[in-house]
Amino acid sequence: MQDIVTYDAPNAQGRGGARHLSAVLPAVSAALGAPVSTRVHADAAGLQTALGIPSARSVLVVLVDGLGFWNVVERKGHAPFLRSLLSDSANSRPISSSFPTTTATALSVFGTGTCPGLTGMTGYSQINPATRELSQMIKFTGGLDPLAVQTQPTVFEQLANAGVRVTTAGLYQFKNSALTQAALRGPKYISGPNAEANALAAAKATHTPGLTYLYIRDADKMGHQYGWRDEHWVSAFETVDEQLRTVVSRAARGTLLIITADHGMISSNPDTRIDIAEHAELREGVDVVGGEPRAVALYAREGASTDEVNALAERWRDFLGSRALVYTKDEAIRAGLYGPGELMREDVRAYLGDILVLATGDVTIVDSRVQTDMATRLPSVHGSLTKAEVDIPLFMDVL
Ligand SMILES: [Zn+2]
């Protein structure tokens, strides 16, 4: 497991601070000559310098869902373009994703340049405090309103307000999706009939100065469905590499290309899977199980006292041993899991589990009472803080 990655300064392992997903768009804003400061990152120009990002009139940021740094390194034989980027010393070190290492949380951190304690998007699923129903945070099911939860301005919005052209190229179905509204609102949204058409549209957009954002989904999807070591994933990875080459060949000369991701992936192991439904000592006192198999949020029975919650945490710790790190809500906030504790929005506390469970190794913690059988047996997963989940690429090149 990595140490907890800090937003304001690097941790003992040199991760975090500027080398963090939250710093990418603020640094890019400075590279475009329109520095945006956020509640977490006040000095966009300082981030640009720390990351070694050159200034440019046109910047193309590509986010490849689920493409962790170590996933790329291990499979680089299949991706000539990414391999050539990786061989550049400027690209040889990863940056860090958020906690949890999950799409909704990471994209809100990326889009706003802040932290989950401010965006309110604290995991794959979290409770709606009004109803105690679970809300899946990509689609905002369960009655949570994307604009009421995610109140931070996005970097895209702030750049657009400053008169910078900002364009997103993505799939049509994501144009007005809850996640787009919450985390990535602001740009002009262009979309073609398929991923390849989106890539071409993004390339075309770079010919006008400003920021172009392209989102590529398929590697993550194939990873969850077949596992990231499976040939389906490799084939998707090869296609992503091809799409990147196409974009680059059609983009305006002098465009600054940045490639990053929201999180990496690990292979799960059926032998280390723990099903809450099968263990009374895990079930007892837990009202709702949220989060996801690598980052579980436990909501205690309503009205549970602090002593009861602490006892529940202790019971989970005893049962899991080295298979997971178990934090109470206060411990998690104090440790900085959701960003600098002093920045945490008061209303965000209610979304967090009373207990947060971070799986180690290849352990998954599922609940067959409420999750589909398929969801409890995904061959590749993410959410926790191992290197393979946290470390993401920050590849850059001037075209
Ligand atoms: Zn993702």
Side-chain angles (χ1 to χ4, degrees):
M1 292 286 266
Q2 295 289 304
D3 285 352
I4 287 168
V5 174
T6 31
Y7 286 71
D8 34 7
N11 69 12
Q13 292 149 332
R15 286 176 166 80
R19 301 195 67 79
H20 191 273
L21 184 59
S22 63
V24 173
L25 287 181
V28 162
S29 73
L32 284 163
V36 164
S37 47
T38 75
R39 292 284 304 282
V40 169
H41 297 294
D43 178 15
L47 297 176
Q48 186 196 352
T49 308
L51 290 169
I53 297 181
S55 293
R57 294 176 65 223
S58 183
V59 181
L60 170 60
V61 175
V62 183
L63 188 140
V64 185
D65 203 316
L67 196 66
F69 184 83
W70 302 106
N71 304 120
V72 177
V73 168
E74 193 170 316
R75 289 299 192 172
K76 65 184 180 186
H78 291 270
F81 179 68
L82 288 168
R83 184 169 70 237
S84 72
L85 291 178
L86 193 57
S87 68
D88 187 328
S89 64
N91 297 329
S92 62
R93 278 176 64 205
I95 62 165
S96 301
S97 179
S98 59
F99 173 79
T101 43
T102 197
T103 305
T105 304
L107 286 184
S108 78
V109 162
F110 167 77
T112 62
T114 69
C115 55
L118 283 167
T119 67
M121 298 171 70
T122 68
Y124 173 77
S125 65
Q126 67 191 36
I127 209 167
N128 176 347
T131 61
R132 293 187 63 81
E133 201 180 335
L134 264 192
S135 179
Q136 192 262 46
M137 297 305 290
I138 292 174
K139 294 185 174 161
F140 281 79
T141 57
L144 286 183
D145 171 2
L147 296 177
V149 173
Q150 203 304 88
T151 54
Q152 293 299 299
T154 69
V155 176
F156 292 159
E157 278 177 315
Q158 294 179 80
L159 281 172
N161 290 342
V164 176
R165 172 194 65 81
V166 188
T167 311
T168 290
L171 296 172
Y172 183 75
Q173 66 261 39
F174 298 147
K175 181 176 180 181
N176 289 313
S177 75
L179 184 55
T180 301
Q181 286 179 52
L184 301 163
R185 57 182 176 250
K188 176 174 181 215
Y189 197 102
I190 52 176
S191 59
N194 53 43
E196 201 195 350
N198 291 333
L200 291 175
K204 194 171 168 205
T206 64
H207 290 261
T208 309
L211 174 59
T212 310
Y213 168 64
L214 171 65
Y215 168 78
I216 301 181
R217 173 182 65 163
D218 292 355
D220 183 77
K221 203 175 150 191
M222 290 297 138
H224 287 310
Q225 211 169 337
Y226 299 102
W228 84 270
R229 293 181 192 281
D230 182 89
E231 61 190 32
H232 288 87
W233 186 91
V234 173
S235 164
F237 181 52
E238 287 170 348
T239 305
V240 168
D241 196 66
E242 251 168 58
Q243 280 165 5
L244 292 170
R245 263 178 292 162
T246 306
V247 181
V248 162
S249 67
R250 310 271 180 109
R253 279 187 72 84
T255 298
L256 167 65
L257 170 70
I258 304 239
I259 299 173
T260 190
D262 50 351
H263 53 78
M265 276 198 167
I266 63 156
S267 300
S268 63
N269 177 356
D271 296 335
T272 55
R273 174 181 175 275
I274 298 160
D275 187 351
I276 297 167
E278 293 170 2
H279 302 282
E281 60 269 62
L282 298 183
R283 289 193 312 260
E284 212 176 288
V286 176
D287 188 17
V288 181
V289 176
E292 63 194 299
R294 294 280 298 162
V296 180
L298 301 175
Y299 298 88
R301 198 173 41 75
E302 222 179 343
S305 68
T306 309
D307 284 351
E308 284 168 325
V309 170
N310 289 340
L312 177 61
E314 221 28 64
R315 199 164 2 105
W316 272 67
R317 266 183 208 122
D318 285 346
F319 182 89
L320 292 169
S322 63
R323 293 181 288 178
L325 299 177
V326 178
Y327 292 86
T328 63
K329 185 189 297 198
D330 283 338
E331 288 166 351
I333 294 169
R334 267 203 306 276
L337 273 176
Y338 300 98
E342 69 277 11
L343 291 183
M344 173 145 250
R345 263 166 54 198
E346 196 47 42
D347 60 318
V348 171
R349 290 182 63 93
Y351 298 133
L352 296 175
D354 296 299
I355 294 168
L356 288 312
V357 184
L358 284 57
T360 60
D362 56 14
V363 171
T364 49
I365 302 162
V366 302
D367 186 352
S368 63
R369 294 169 302 174
V370 289
Q371 296 159 353
T372 63
D373 190 58
M374 200 180 80
T376 71
R377 297 177 195 279
L378 295 174
S380 280
V381 287
H382 48 81
S384 192
L385 289 183
T386 62
K387 219 169 69 158
E389 293 162 293
V390 172
D391 288 355
I392 50 174
L394 181 72
F395 294 156
M396 49 189 141
D397 195 18
V398 178
L399 306 179

